[in-house]
Amino acid sequence: QFGFTPYFDTASPAQTLQFKKGHCNPKAILLHTMFRIANIKSRIVFIPIALNELILNRFDDPHTPKLKGIHAYTEVQWDTSSPWIAID
């Protein structure tokens, strides 16, 4: 489930499983780790996002600061001839 652990972005895959929740960064790391254990090629992608559009859009205030953040997701490649597939 979506949520934040006391470890926030530093949560290990084991801690994410232990707490049964996490946000994008720990979940992407957990999924990447699981793919790697299964010998499936994967990588973590980080992209900039505007938090205002995702979180603060309910506040129609021109004085709201423009907040930026990073979103993480996992990509997997089944074999070297296939494209990377985003899993979010």
Side-chain angles (χ1 to χ4, degrees):
Q1 89 184 33
F2 177 82
F4 301 99
T5 69
Y7 302 100
F8 197 63
D9 277 342
T10 63
S12 68
Q15 291 165 328
T16 302
L17 286 173
Q18 175 190 355
F19 283 94
K20 298 183 177 147
K21 66 180 176 182
H23 60 289
C24 62
N25 295 0
K27 286 185 172 186
I29 293 168
L30 171 61
L31 188 56
H32 172 67
T33 301
M34 291 168 52
F35 279 130
R36 299 302 293 234
I37 289 170
N39 290 316
I40 298 170
K41 192 173 180 181
S42 67
R43 64 186 181 190
I44 300 171
V45 178
F46 296 95
I47 57 170
I49 57 170
L51 295 177
N52 296 62
E53 295 171 11
L54 298 174
I55 298 170
L56 302 175
N57 60 358
R58 64 180 174 261
F59 301 111
D60 189 19
D61 180 358
H63 303 292
T64 301
K66 301 296 182 206
L67 302 175
K68 297 195 185 292
I70 298 292
H71 177 64
Y73 64 93
T74 306
E75 289 186 339
V76 64
Q77 186 180 44
W78 302 117
D79 58 56
T80 55
S81 64
S82 65
W84 287 95
I85 300 168
I87 301 174
D88 194 3

